Amino acid sequence: MQELLADFEDLDELYRCYMPFLKSGGIFIKSNAHFDMGQELKLRVTLPDALEADEVEVVVAWLTPQGAQNSNPPGVGVAFIDAPALNDKINKLLGATLHSDKPTYTM
């Protein structure tokens, strides 16, 4: 199984990458690599101020190709398969920011 790495150094970047509109949550990862919709991957993600990375299984749910509208970076959005603890951590970290009208990489 292919592995993706995501290291978030600050909450602003985590906000821009988080995909709360997915049923179990998800993350957008900037990448030029090719992925297929529905492809299962392993994600190792380090959240801001975390001492260790979380490893979860994910499925490709979003693709942003090179040269997309609004100058969004190319990448892949992955939906968490069974990672309620990681989704809860992200929600707690972002708190009220989740209701911001600042643009993200996906919406």
Side-chain angles (χ1 to χ4, degrees):
M1 184 178 297
Q2 188 173 351
E3 185 173 274
L4 284 173
L5 303 175
D7 186 11
F8 296 99
E9 295 182 9
D10 60 58
L11 293 176
D12 190 49
E13 184 67 7
L14 179 61
Y15 168 79
R16 285 188 294 226
C17 291
Y18 184 50
M19 300 172 73
F21 53 85
L22 295 174
K23 183 177 179 179
S24 300
I27 291 283
F28 178 81
I29 300 157
K30 293 183 248 180
S31 174
N32 288 314
H34 174 77
F35 297 95
D36 295 315
M37 291 296 287
Q39 181 179 350
E40 292 188 11
L41 306 164
K42 185 171 291 245
L43 173 66
R44 183 180 303 167
V45 59
T46 305
L47 299 174
D49 298 328
L51 299 175
E52 294 182 6
D54 287 281
E55 286 189 26
V56 295
E57 290 187 17
V58 296
V59 62
V60 175
W62 183 283
L63 297 170
T64 301
Q66 191 82 24
Q69 297 179 27
N70 301 328
S71 301
N72 283 336
V76 59
V78 294
F80 303 142
I81 292 177
D82 187 24
L86 177 59
N87 199 41
D88 288 346
K89 283 183 192 178
I90 293 171
N91 280 307
K92 286 177 185 172
L93 281 170
L94 294 178
T97 308
L98 286 172
H99 304 291
S100 172
D101 59 355
K102 294 189 311 186
T104 68
Y105 294 132
T106 55
M107 292 284 180

